[in-house]
Amino acid sequence: MDQFIKWSNFSKIAPYAELFKQGLLVTVLLSLFTVAIGFCLALVLALMRMSNVRPFRSLGIDKNGHQREKGFLAVISKFNPLSFLATAYVEILRSTPVIVQIFIIYFGVFGMIKLPSFDMFGFIKFNRFFPGVVALGMNSGAYLCEIIRSGIQSIDGGQTEAARSLGLSQGQNLRYIIMPQALKNILPAIANEFVVIIKESAITYTIGVQDIMSAVNAVKGATFIIIEPLLVATAIYFCLCFPTSKLIAYFERRMSHGDKR
Amino acid sequence: MAIRDNLIEVKDLKKHYHGGAIKALDGVTTDIHPGDVCVVIGPSGSGKSTFLRSLNLLEEPTGGSIVFEGTDITKKKYKDENGKTVRLDVDELRQKMGMVFQHFNLFPHMTILENMTLAPIKVKGMSKEEAEKKALELLDRVGLKDRADAYPIQLSGGQKQRVAIVRALAMEPDVMLFDEPTSALDPEMVGEVLDVMKKLAEEGMTMVVVTHEMGFAREVGNRVLFMADGVLIEEGTPEDIFEHPKSARLQDFLSKVL
């Protein structure tokens, strides 16, 4: 039986180090953009889900000026289109595979919208990278939305009451009082999601993004060596993910000075 | 602006839930004059807190009016002196009404000093130095200057509530609203909070206080409102209320709490 790992194979794939380096850069950029897009999207979605926009509110009031208890009009009056849209988005994105979403975005959406084809940093193909970022960002936005929403809703209502009674606006309350506390509570979940994003970005090699996994494939195709490039990829992913979770754990400690006696 | 006799005029204030099935407030009418220390007493569920929270619109009343410094704050829009229609700025209104809560509601992620300077800096546009100087003066008045850099969790309940009071005072409100400020405190800490409130009353601050502390109501209040079932049953001087209660409801209540 062959050996599982042949050390000599590592020297055979050494000439392809540049490919892995490029792959690493792509994966890092992919993750950073995904996190940025995902986080912004999630914030908007979370606020939409928690909004209190009810355009048909007045239909719920009967002739005597009382709130209707039940019936079709009472249901309609409680309808919040913003919350409905955000909820539908989250549920659809969470209930379908990422790879399907990526293919729909790449072949479907960006099959219609022509992207300029140029290379970033001389080797990243923009018209493949961009759809990848959009698809991953849209996907992680759905997950992060639920994390952010749970964080905001975990904060005691008295905090908002105190902030508003001091004259802080709704936005100021969210920014200075609610979000800092919510963020601290959800950091472990966010760390988890960030690590998932780094690892999940590997799937974009299916649409031709030259990330770490595509480097593995290229080396495999050129040298017929399989295990060793995979081990290199494993090491790179670990070196990305492990420090990320450690970094977030550090922020978690730094933000927790309000809970120590 | 002309000096008004009434700081707050409450007229037929109503708060109904579920289409009138639950009446938390059912037509409360009263005036609060500058310098008043108005104590609201009554059994639990009588609408005392709802009444107080309606005054700065933490609860939106479903009927009646509240005129604060000449403006009906229950209307979303009103006409200013020039007859122009303007939107009611709830944030601006709330700056003029300090509120103290039963559960203190200090911001746990900020130091005491940050708790006190946030609103003056962000809302009033005060400089950081000025706000901190003022906050330290106020903290000194309640004997907590040395805790300025502590976090709320490091303080006792009584200390937290004293901080909550001066945090509200830092906005220089025209009236202070207290929602059962001593109900969540250990008995030995009630005194220190009441002392601060008493001092505040002596300095002439207009105060509306919902409390179960009958001693405070009698000693510090100049007016006592007795509420039950969302209705203002009796109001008068502490002597009227405690020595000569007229309604059976109040007599019954007093026999239980005194």
Side-chain angles (χ1 to χ4, degrees):
Chain A
M1 205 177 89
D2 280 349
Q3 260 178 294
F4 180 60
I5 305 171
K6 284 206 192 102
W7 294 109
S8 58
N9 279 350
F10 281 109
S11 49
K12 279 184 201 154
I13 62 169
Y16 301 93
E18 189 59 28
L19 270 183
F20 280 104
K21 238 188 271 172
Q22 291 180 353
L24 171 65
L25 181 66
V26 173
T27 296
V28 168
L29 285 177
L30 207 53
S31 308
L32 285 178
F33 280 116
T34 302
V35 164
I37 292 177
F39 202 82
C40 296
L41 183 64
L43 204 57
V44 174
L45 286 170
L47 293 178
M48 281 169 72
R49 283 201 74 167
M50 290 183 300
S51 66
N52 189 22
V53 180
R54 289 184 289 153
F56 308 115
R57 192 190 300 250
S58 55
L59 292 180
I61 311 281
D62 64 16
K63 281 193 202 82
N64 305 322
H66 291 162
Q67 186 72 41
R68 284 179 215 273
E69 292 292 299
K70 43 188 179 279
F72 179 66
L73 286 174
V75 174
I76 288 277
S77 75
K78 292 196 181 104
F79 178 70
N80 177 343
L82 285 184
S83 171
F84 176 80
L85 277 178
T87 309
Y89 177 89
V90 168
E91 294 305 341
I92 290 170
L93 273 274
R94 283 203 304 186
S95 314
T96 51
V98 192
I99 191 151
V100 173
Q101 295 163 13
I102 287 188
F103 282 171
I104 289 176
I105 296 288
Y106 179 66
F107 293 111
V109 177
F110 289 103
M112 293 190 312
I113 307 167
K114 282 280 165 273
L115 287 170
S117 65
F118 64 90
D119 291 349
M120 299 152 69
F121 300 104
F123 63 91
I124 303 175
K125 289 195 172 58
F126 179 76
N127 56 5
R128 288 170 191 271
F129 181 83
F130 188 73
V133 164
V134 170
L136 286 179
M138 284 177 67
N139 182 268
S140 68
Y143 285 93
L144 282 168
C145 161
E146 289 303 275
I147 296 176
I148 291 175
R149 187 171 66 98
S150 73
I152 290 177
Q153 286 176 342
S154 72
I155 306 301
D156 177 43
Q159 293 286 309
T160 297
E161 289 188 351
R164 296 307 302 276
S165 74
L166 284 168
L168 266 68
S169 68
Q170 211 173 344
Q172 285 173 324
N173 170 43
L174 201 62
R175 181 164 159 210
Y176 299 114
I177 307 301
I178 303 303
M179 279 317 274
Q181 295 183 60
L183 216 51
K184 191 197 84 197
N185 290 352
I186 60 178
L187 266 180
I190 287 191
N192 207 11
E193 181 61 23
F194 281 9
V195 168
V196 166
I197 288 171
I198 296 175
K199 293 185 293 179
E200 216 169 54
S201 71
I203 210 165
T204 56
Y205 98 90
T206 54
I207 57 167
V209 177
Q210 306 121 299
D211 74 333
I212 298 170
M213 274 314 284
S214 112
V216 171
N217 270 347
V219 174
K220 190 175 78 182
T223 62
F224 302 107
I225 300 170
I226 301 171
I227 295 297
E228 288 77 6
L230 280 173
L231 288 176
V232 172
T234 308
I236 296 175
Y237 276 116
F238 183 82
C239 291
L240 281 178
C241 295
F242 186 64
T244 303
S245 46
K246 281 287 154 207
L247 188 71
I248 294 178
Y250 164 75
F251 281 117
E252 209 182 312
R253 276 198 305 280
R254 261 193 46 180
M255 286 175 84
S256 69
H257 40 213
D259 6 288
K260 271 178 270 161
R261 276 175 192 276
Chain B
M1 207 190 285
I3 298 165
R4 290 169 210 282
D5 298 337
N6 297 331
L7 188 63
I8 309 175
E9 292 169 27
V10 181
K11 214 174 269 167
D12 199 26
L13 192 67
K14 284 181 182 146
K15 174 77 182 180
H16 291 182
Y17 295 97
H18 302 294
I22 297 169
K23 298 183 169 83
L25 287 179
D26 200 20
V28 173
T29 302
T30 191
D31 297 330
I32 290 156
H33 316 282
D36 263 0
V37 178
C38 184
V39 182
V40 188
I41 59 170
S44 49
S46 59
K48 312 183 294 285
S49 283
T50 310
F51 168 70
L52 191 77
R53 292 157 57 84
S54 297
L55 294 182
N56 73 349
L57 301 181
L58 282 182
E59 302 277 353
E60 234 174 282
T62 47
S65 68
I66 304 168
V67 178
F68 174 65
E69 295 182 343
T71 307
D72 184 353
I73 59 173
T74 56
K75 302 260 189 319
K76 297 242 188 297
K77 283 176 185 161
Y78 67 97
K79 283 198 180 358
D80 66 3
E81 297 103 54
N82 310 323
K84 238 174 78 181
T85 307
V86 273
R87 267 180 78 94
L88 177 76
D89 188 343
V90 180
D91 300 330
E92 201 183 303
L93 161 83
R94 285 181 176 139
Q95 289 174 45
K96 296 183 196 159
M97 296 182 161
M99 179 120 183
V100 175
F101 301 87
Q102 182 177 358
H103 296 288
F104 331 126
N105 296 348
L106 295 181
F107 308 132
H109 60 302
M110 295 179 177
T111 63
I112 301 309
L113 198 63
E114 285 165 353
N115 260 281
M116 293 186 61
T117 54
L118 178 76
I121 292 173
K122 299 296 176 196
V123 179
K124 279 201 157 170
M126 227 183 246
S127 73
K128 196 169 172 241
E129 294 75 34
E130 196 187 346
E132 285 184 350
K133 189 168 152 258
K134 187 142 188 279
L136 286 172
E137 273 171 28
L138 283 165
L139 279 174
D140 199 23
R141 272 171 53 185
V142 294
L144 288 170
K145 199 177 178 182
D146 54 329
R147 306 312 309 271
D149 294 320
Y151 283 91
I153 195 146
Q154 296 167 316
L155 303 187
S156 72
Q159 292 175 326
K160 279 185 205 168
Q161 196 59 300
R162 281 186 277 160
V163 169
I165 293 172
V166 284
R167 177 176 73 177
L169 287 178
M171 290 300 283
E172 296 177 328
D174 296 340
V175 54
M176 286 283 286
L177 312 174
F178 294 84
D179 191 3
E180 305 202 19
T182 56
S183 297
L185 294 176
D186 290 341
E188 80 267 23
M189 291 169 183
V190 170
E192 61 188 75
V193 171
L194 291 182
D195 283 345
V196 169
M197 291 167 62
K198 206 173 139 187
K199 245 198 308 188
L200 200 57
E202 282 160 5
E203 285 162 17
M205 173 61 78
T206 311
M207 293 160 66
V208 185
V209 186
V210 170
T211 189
H212 294 292
E213 294 293 329
M214 296 303 147
F216 177 85
R218 200 189 285 229
E219 193 189 344
V220 185
N222 71 328
R223 283 173 63 213
V224 179
L225 313 184
F226 173 69
M227 287 182 69
D229 303 324
V231 182
L232 185 58
I233 305 243
E234 233 177 290
E235 76 168 286
T237 64
E239 207 193 292
D240 294 340
I241 297 289
F242 290 107
E243 310 303 334
H244 315 290
K246 288 186 214 82
S247 62
R249 198 67 211 267
L250 176 55
Q251 284 162 5
D252 178 51
F253 175 73
L254 290 175
S255 73
K256 280 176 187 151
V257 296
L258 288 181

